[in-house]
Amino acid sequence: MRLLLMGPPGAGKGTQAAVIAQCFAVPAISTGDIFRANVAQQTELGVAAQAYMDAGEYVPDEVTNAMVADRLAAGDCAGGFLLDGYPRTPQQVDELDAILALAGAGLDAVVLLEADTDELVSRLLARSRDQGRADDTEPVIRRRLEVYAAETGPLADRYAERGLLTTVDGLGSVEEVTERILTVLGSVPAQRAATSAP
């Protein structure tokens, strides 16, 4: 199973990624984890990324793409993976397509977690209070959600056009959301078979 999990900040993506990946016995891969691992190990890509981060700049797509390609080439990804936080731009979608094409593979499904904006703001404000992050004010959080929507909307549209996108309500308990995701993923192979049948 090769999965992509998308969703706005506060939708519970990281939590669900870990649970769903375990259910399918595939590694959960987040760009944050890849960055931290490369920086900690002082790999060539990690050193390059660190230079940009230290300068307060975005890490360029080519560095991020190379890190993801390197991670997906690892042995534990041979039987599938769950990507969380990548791709984030149309260019990264193209790069992921190329990486998978080289491996003779493709995505099985893209799950988009959706949640009411006001609920997400409440969740993120509570999280910032718990973590003592005074800079996470409501205007800042709302701006982050706007940027996410602007960046990710086109990606969701592209995957929807391919028949890969499924939208899941991200509100509720962790168990409830997991059950919704597993339900739609359980129907994915049947749907794909039905659409490809003569």
Side-chain angles (χ1 to χ4, degrees):
M1 181 67 87
R2 294 175 182 84
L3 300 171
L4 172 58
L5 188 61
M6 299 171 64
K13 246 188 357 290
T15 302
Q16 291 301 329
V19 176
I20 299 301
Q22 196 169 19
C23 290
F24 286 99
V26 296
I29 301 170
S30 82
T31 43
D33 289 344
I34 295 174
F35 270 71
R36 282 187 287 275
N38 275 274
V39 169
Q41 294 162 20
Q42 288 292 288
T43 66
E44 188 177 333
L45 290 169
V47 171
Q50 186 75 58
Y52 286 102
M53 291 188 288
D54 287 347
E57 297 176 18
Y58 283 115
V59 177
D61 269 3
E62 56 264 28
V63 176
T64 303
N65 292 339
M67 284 187 185
V68 171
D70 189 54
R71 179 65 186 89
L72 292 181
D76 64 341
C77 293
F81 53 79
L82 187 154
L83 272 175
D84 162 21
Y86 181 95
R88 290 195 176 184
T89 66
Q91 293 77 13
Q92 289 179 0
V93 171
D94 295 337
E95 183 64 24
L96 179 59
D97 287 345
I99 292 169
L100 293 175
L102 277 174
L107 288 173
D108 291 304
V110 178
V111 176
L112 173 61
L113 288 179
E114 283 195 330
D116 175 72
T117 299
D118 289 336
E119 177 62 29
L120 291 174
V121 170
S122 296
R123 280 188 188 184
L124 291 168
L125 282 172
R127 184 189 297 175
S128 67
R129 280 195 300 271
D130 293 344
Q131 297 175 355
R133 290 163 58 173
D135 55 329
D136 268 2
T137 60
E138 183 168 338
V140 169
I141 288 171
R142 288 191 181 276
R143 178 61 187 151
R144 277 171 57 204
L145 291 170
E146 286 171 8
V147 169
Y148 167 83
E151 287 180 349
T152 316
L155 275 59
D157 291 343
R158 284 181 68 172
Y159 286 123
E161 287 166 9
R162 300 182 194 181
L164 290 172
L165 188 76
T166 302
T167 302
V168 172
D169 181 1
L171 295 181
S173 69
V174 171
E175 294 77 16
E176 287 169 341
V177 177
T178 300
E179 188 61 37
R180 287 176 203 143
I181 295 172
L182 291 176
T183 298
V184 299
L185 290 179
S187 66
V188 164
Q191 287 174 348
R192 298 287 290 279
T195 54
S196 61

